[in-house]
Amino acid sequence: MKEFIDKINEGYDFANKFLHYGMDIRPKVTWVDSQTGQFIAEWLVTSDFIDQNHCIDEGVLGTVTDNTTAMLIGSILCDRGKSVSTSISVQAVAPIKPNTVVEIVCAIASKTSKQPHATATFRDKQIPQKIYGRGAHTKFFKAGLSESQPRL
């Protein structure tokens, strides 16, 4: 399992250069279960990522949702070839204080679909019942697509 987590985190390091306005976001995977299609990543939310409403900026949420769920889908379903995103949606749901450690809980809803769907829940590490944001991402696998995600 440690090797699998290390591979995902290496992919994050590569993908970080494509993140929201070049911000250094770098969530790190701390737990993974490839059988159920789930993982948890930790992320330090600094004031750089908080909007005027004191919530995680939804552009940042979109970028992090895209990258975390794409890493999960790509890692679990890597034998399917290349994919493209067909839908990404996010919602900031509660204010957050700067320097809060957030757990991003990602799960694949359907591993057998031609369009796997994954969710990301952004929750407080210390108080897991406290949710700061939610995201959803659907991908489509098809031969002949150009490479857009780091291969793990």
Side-chain angles (χ1 to χ4, degrees):
M1 179 161 84
K2 181 181 177 341
E3 294 84 21
F4 191 51
I5 290 173
D6 289 344
K7 275 193 129 178
I8 294 171
N9 284 325
E10 285 174 28
Y12 265 138
D13 289 341
F14 175 78
N16 193 64
K17 62 185 167 188
F18 305 108
L19 293 180
H20 190 69
Y21 296 108
M23 292 178 156
D24 190 13
I25 297 174
R26 294 187 194 263
K28 290 293 181 191
V29 174
T30 58
W31 177 86
V32 64
D33 185 335
S34 60
Q35 296 301 318
T36 62
Q38 298 178 351
F39 77 51
I40 295 175
E42 289 184 7
W43 172 40
L44 178 64
V45 178
T46 64
S47 60
D48 293 337
F49 309 127
I50 299 174
D51 66 17
Q52 68 275 11
N53 297 318
H54 308 287
C55 293
I56 300 172
D57 178 87
E58 287 186 332
V60 174
L61 276 177
T63 300
V64 175
T65 294
D66 180 10
N67 284 330
T68 55
T69 55
M71 290 291 181
L72 176 64
I73 292 168
S75 297
I76 303 294
L77 305 176
C78 60
D79 61 334
R80 293 207 190 170
K82 297 175 181 148
S83 66
V84 64
S85 297
T86 59
S87 173
I88 298 172
S89 63
V90 296
Q91 183 178 23
V93 297
I96 187 169
K97 293 181 180 174
N99 301 315
T100 299
V101 177
V102 169
E103 287 184 325
I104 307 164
V105 181
C106 295
I108 296 177
S110 173
K111 294 194 300 187
T112 59
S113 171
K114 193 171 187 175
Q115 293 192 48
H117 179 78
T119 59
T121 301
F122 296 78
R123 69 182 188 192
D124 192 291
K125 181 178 179 178
Q126 300 303 316
I127 309 166
Q129 305 87 330
K130 190 170 194 170
I131 307 298
Y132 297 114
R134 298 186 188 281
H137 186 187
T138 303
K139 294 194 71 73
F140 176 74
F141 284 87
K142 183 178 178 185
L145 293 174
S146 63
E147 189 68 46
S148 64
Q149 296 294 328
R151 297 296 292 167
L152 302 178

